[in-house]
Each structure stands twice: as C-alpha cells, then as structure tokens.
Short mmCIF file of all heavy atoms in Angstrom, two decimals:
data_model
loop_
_atom_site.label_atom_id
_atom_site.label_comp_id
_atom_site.label_asym_id
_atom_site.label_seq_id
_atom_site.Cartn_x
_atom_site.Cartn_y
_atom_site.Cartn_z
N ALA A 465 -5.74 -2.50 19.69
CA ALA A 465 -6.71 -1.89 20.45
C ALA A 465 -5.97 -0.90 21.43
O ALA A 465 -5.11 -1.40 22.13
CB ALA A 465 -7.71 -2.79 21.09
N ARG A 466 -6.52 0.31 21.45
CA ARG A 466 -5.84 1.36 22.49
C ARG A 466 -6.57 1.12 23.76
O ARG A 466 -7.72 0.95 23.83
CB ARG A 466 -5.96 2.71 22.01
CG ARG A 466 -5.31 2.93 20.57
CD ARG A 466 -5.33 4.25 20.27
NE ARG A 466 -4.27 4.95 20.96
CZ ARG A 466 -4.04 6.18 21.01
NH1 ARG A 466 -4.90 7.12 20.27
NH2 ARG A 466 -3.14 6.81 21.64
N PRO A 467 -5.75 1.05 24.94
CA PRO A 467 -6.33 1.02 26.20
C PRO A 467 -7.44 2.20 26.42
O PRO A 467 -7.09 3.34 26.00
CB PRO A 467 -5.27 1.04 27.19
CG PRO A 467 -3.97 1.36 26.43
CD PRO A 467 -4.36 1.32 24.90
N ASP A 468 -8.52 2.01 27.12
CA ASP A 468 -9.37 3.02 27.40
C ASP A 468 -8.80 3.93 28.44
O ASP A 468 -8.43 3.54 29.48
CB ASP A 468 -10.71 2.39 27.96
CG ASP A 468 -11.79 3.39 28.31
OD1 ASP A 468 -11.44 4.64 28.31
OD2 ASP A 468 -12.96 2.95 28.56
N PRO A 469 -8.60 5.31 28.13
CA PRO A 469 -7.96 6.12 28.96
C PRO A 469 -8.79 6.40 30.36
O PRO A 469 -8.34 6.89 31.30
CB PRO A 469 -7.74 7.44 28.20
CG PRO A 469 -8.74 7.40 27.20
CD PRO A 469 -8.82 5.90 26.84
N GLN A 470 -10.09 6.15 30.20
CA GLN A 470 -10.91 6.23 31.30
C GLN A 470 -10.79 5.12 32.41
O GLN A 470 -11.14 5.31 33.54
CB GLN A 470 -12.45 6.31 30.86
CG GLN A 470 -12.67 7.39 30.01
CD GLN A 470 -12.55 8.88 30.74
OE1 GLN A 470 -12.92 8.92 31.96
NE2 GLN A 470 -11.98 9.76 30.07
N LYS A 471 -10.17 4.03 32.08
CA LYS A 471 -9.92 2.85 32.99
C LYS A 471 -8.49 3.22 33.65
O LYS A 471 -7.59 2.77 33.23
CB LYS A 471 -9.96 1.59 32.20
CG LYS A 471 -11.39 1.18 31.70
CD LYS A 471 -11.37 -0.12 31.09
CE LYS A 471 -12.93 -0.33 30.66
NZ LYS A 471 -13.04 -1.67 30.27
N SER A 472 -8.71 3.93 34.75
CA SER A 472 -7.46 4.20 35.53
C SER A 472 -7.35 3.62 36.89
O SER A 472 -6.34 3.79 37.58
CB SER A 472 -7.65 5.76 35.73
OG SER A 472 -8.77 6.03 36.51
N LEU A 473 -8.19 2.68 37.24
CA LEU A 473 -8.16 1.99 38.54
C LEU A 473 -8.25 0.48 38.36
O LEU A 473 -9.03 0.00 37.65
CB LEU A 473 -9.18 2.53 39.52
CG LEU A 473 -9.27 4.03 39.83
CD1 LEU A 473 -10.55 4.45 40.54
CD2 LEU A 473 -8.00 4.47 40.64
N VAL A 474 -7.56 -0.29 39.32
CA VAL A 474 -7.71 -1.69 39.38
C VAL A 474 -8.41 -1.93 40.72
O VAL A 474 -7.92 -1.62 41.80
CB VAL A 474 -6.38 -2.40 39.45
CG1 VAL A 474 -6.54 -3.90 39.65
CG2 VAL A 474 -5.62 -2.09 37.98
N GLY A 475 -9.63 -2.43 40.62
CA GLY A 475 -10.48 -2.64 41.77
C GLY A 475 -10.23 -4.11 42.49
O GLY A 475 -9.97 -5.12 41.72
N PHE A 476 -10.34 -4.15 43.70
CA PHE A 476 -10.21 -5.42 44.44
C PHE A 476 -11.00 -5.27 45.78
O PHE A 476 -11.46 -4.22 46.22
CB PHE A 476 -8.70 -5.71 44.70
CG PHE A 476 -7.97 -4.75 45.51
CD1 PHE A 476 -7.88 -4.67 46.78
CD2 PHE A 476 -7.34 -3.62 44.79
CE1 PHE A 476 -7.13 -3.80 47.51
CE2 PHE A 476 -6.70 -2.71 45.57
CZ PHE A 476 -6.49 -2.78 46.85
N THR A 477 -11.06 -6.51 46.44
CA THR A 477 -11.77 -6.45 47.79
C THR A 477 -10.85 -7.07 48.80
O THR A 477 -10.00 -7.78 48.56
CB THR A 477 -13.06 -7.31 47.66
OG1 THR A 477 -12.69 -8.71 47.25
CG2 THR A 477 -14.10 -6.86 46.76
N VAL A 478 -11.10 -6.48 49.98
CA VAL A 478 -10.44 -7.07 51.16
C VAL A 478 -11.57 -7.01 52.21
O VAL A 478 -12.03 -5.92 52.63
CB VAL A 478 -9.27 -6.10 51.66
CG1 VAL A 478 -8.65 -6.75 52.98
CG2 VAL A 478 -8.13 -6.05 50.68
N GLY A 479 -11.88 -8.25 52.65
CA GLY A 479 -13.09 -8.32 53.42
C GLY A 479 -14.27 -7.94 52.65
O GLY A 479 -14.42 -8.28 51.42
N ASP A 480 -15.21 -7.13 53.22
CA ASP A 480 -16.36 -6.73 52.43
C ASP A 480 -16.30 -5.32 51.86
O ASP A 480 -17.10 -4.71 51.37
CB ASP A 480 -17.61 -6.65 53.52
CG ASP A 480 -18.05 -8.09 54.05
OD1 ASP A 480 -17.77 -9.00 53.16
OD2 ASP A 480 -18.46 -8.13 55.05
N VAL A 481 -15.07 -4.75 51.86
CA VAL A 481 -14.73 -3.38 51.40
C VAL A 481 -14.16 -3.48 50.03
O VAL A 481 -13.21 -4.29 49.72
CB VAL A 481 -13.95 -2.55 52.43
CG1 VAL A 481 -13.68 -1.17 52.03
CG2 VAL A 481 -14.70 -2.67 53.70
N HIS A 482 -14.49 -2.52 49.17
CA HIS A 482 -13.97 -2.39 47.85
C HIS A 482 -12.83 -1.31 47.82
O HIS A 482 -13.10 -0.18 48.47
CB HIS A 482 -15.02 -1.99 46.89
CG HIS A 482 -16.02 -2.98 46.64
ND1 HIS A 482 -15.95 -3.85 45.51
CD2 HIS A 482 -17.09 -3.48 47.32
CE1 HIS A 482 -16.94 -4.78 45.61
NE2 HIS A 482 -17.57 -4.47 46.66
N TYR A 483 -11.69 -1.71 47.29
CA TYR A 483 -10.57 -0.80 47.13
C TYR A 483 -10.11 -0.79 45.85
O TYR A 483 -10.46 -1.46 44.96
CB TYR A 483 -9.32 -1.26 48.09
CG TYR A 483 -9.67 -1.33 49.58
CD1 TYR A 483 -10.12 -2.45 50.15
CD2 TYR A 483 -9.44 -0.05 50.35
CE1 TYR A 483 -10.46 -2.43 51.49
CE2 TYR A 483 -9.59 -0.13 51.63
CZ TYR A 483 -10.19 -1.30 52.28
OH TYR A 483 -10.33 -1.34 53.61
N ALA A 484 -9.26 0.17 45.36
CA ALA A 484 -8.55 0.25 44.17
C ALA A 484 -7.13 0.92 44.22
O ALA A 484 -6.97 1.59 45.35
CB ALA A 484 -9.42 1.17 43.20
N VAL A 485 -6.33 0.63 43.32
CA VAL A 485 -5.10 1.34 43.17
C VAL A 485 -4.96 1.77 41.76
O VAL A 485 -5.54 1.29 40.84
CB VAL A 485 -3.78 0.32 43.42
CG1 VAL A 485 -3.84 -0.11 44.90
CG2 VAL A 485 -3.85 -0.91 42.59
N PRO A 486 -4.24 2.93 41.62
CA PRO A 486 -4.07 3.49 40.20
C PRO A 486 -3.48 2.49 39.33
O PRO A 486 -2.44 1.84 39.59
CB PRO A 486 -3.16 4.66 40.42
CG PRO A 486 -3.42 5.08 41.88
CD PRO A 486 -3.55 3.67 42.59
N ILE A 487 -4.04 2.28 38.19
CA ILE A 487 -3.54 1.31 37.22
C ILE A 487 -2.14 1.60 36.77
O ILE A 487 -1.33 0.68 36.41
CB ILE A 487 -4.39 1.20 35.93
CG1 ILE A 487 -4.13 -0.17 35.21
CG2 ILE A 487 -4.29 2.37 35.06
CD1 ILE A 487 -5.29 -0.49 34.13
N ALA A 488 -1.77 2.89 36.73
CA ALA A 488 -0.34 3.14 36.43
C ALA A 488 0.76 2.62 37.26
O ALA A 488 1.89 2.41 36.94
CB ALA A 488 -0.15 4.75 36.43
N ALA A 489 0.33 2.22 38.58
CA ALA A 489 1.25 1.66 39.47
C ALA A 489 1.21 0.17 39.46
O ALA A 489 2.20 -0.50 40.07
CB ALA A 489 0.90 2.01 40.94
N VAL A 490 0.29 -0.51 38.78
CA VAL A 490 0.25 -1.95 38.57
C VAL A 490 1.06 -2.52 37.68
O VAL A 490 1.03 -2.19 36.43
CB VAL A 490 -1.27 -2.37 38.44
CG1 VAL A 490 -1.41 -3.85 38.26
CG2 VAL A 490 -2.19 -1.95 39.55
N ARG A 491 1.98 -3.48 38.05
CA ARG A 491 2.89 -4.20 37.08
C ARG A 491 2.06 -5.36 36.54
O ARG A 491 2.09 -5.61 35.36
CB ARG A 491 4.12 -4.58 37.83
CG ARG A 491 5.07 -5.27 36.86
CD ARG A 491 6.43 -5.24 37.56
NE ARG A 491 6.98 -6.65 37.24
CZ ARG A 491 7.93 -7.26 37.85
NH1 ARG A 491 8.46 -6.73 38.93
NH2 ARG A 491 8.36 -8.29 37.41
N GLU A 492 1.41 -6.17 37.41
CA GLU A 492 0.61 -7.39 37.05
C GLU A 492 -0.10 -7.94 38.17
O GLU A 492 0.09 -7.51 39.31
CB GLU A 492 1.51 -8.40 36.40
CG GLU A 492 2.51 -9.12 37.26
CD GLU A 492 3.37 -10.17 36.42
OE1 GLU A 492 2.76 -11.23 35.91
OE2 GLU A 492 4.40 -9.90 36.30
N ILE A 493 -0.96 -8.85 37.86
CA ILE A 493 -1.83 -9.50 38.83
C ILE A 493 -1.48 -10.95 38.71
O ILE A 493 -1.53 -11.51 37.58
CB ILE A 493 -3.39 -9.23 38.66
CG1 ILE A 493 -3.64 -7.74 38.76
CG2 ILE A 493 -4.14 -10.06 39.62
CD1 ILE A 493 -4.93 -7.36 38.25
#
C-alpha cells in the first residue's frame, strides 16, 4: 500500500490546543 501523499502532518495535543509537525520530520512515535 502506498502512503497517502495527502497525509503530511502528524497531529497531537498539548493542553487543549491541537498542534502538528510535518510527517517528513517524524522518525517514530
């Protein structure tokens, strides 16, 4: 299965705020 090229962000929360980082920078969770 090819990764969806539209999925470019990894989302997370800190407190009540939603943040994301570019998936290209993420090594693992």
Side-chain angles (χ1 to χ4, degrees):
R466 300 185 80 187
D468 183 348
Q470 295 297 319
K471 294 187 174 184
S472 58
L473 301 171
V474 175
F476 58 92
T477 57
V478 178
D480 295 330
V481 180
H482 291 261
Y483 295 93
V485 291
I487 197 168
V490 176
R491 187 168 138 200
E492 69 183 289
I493 298 168

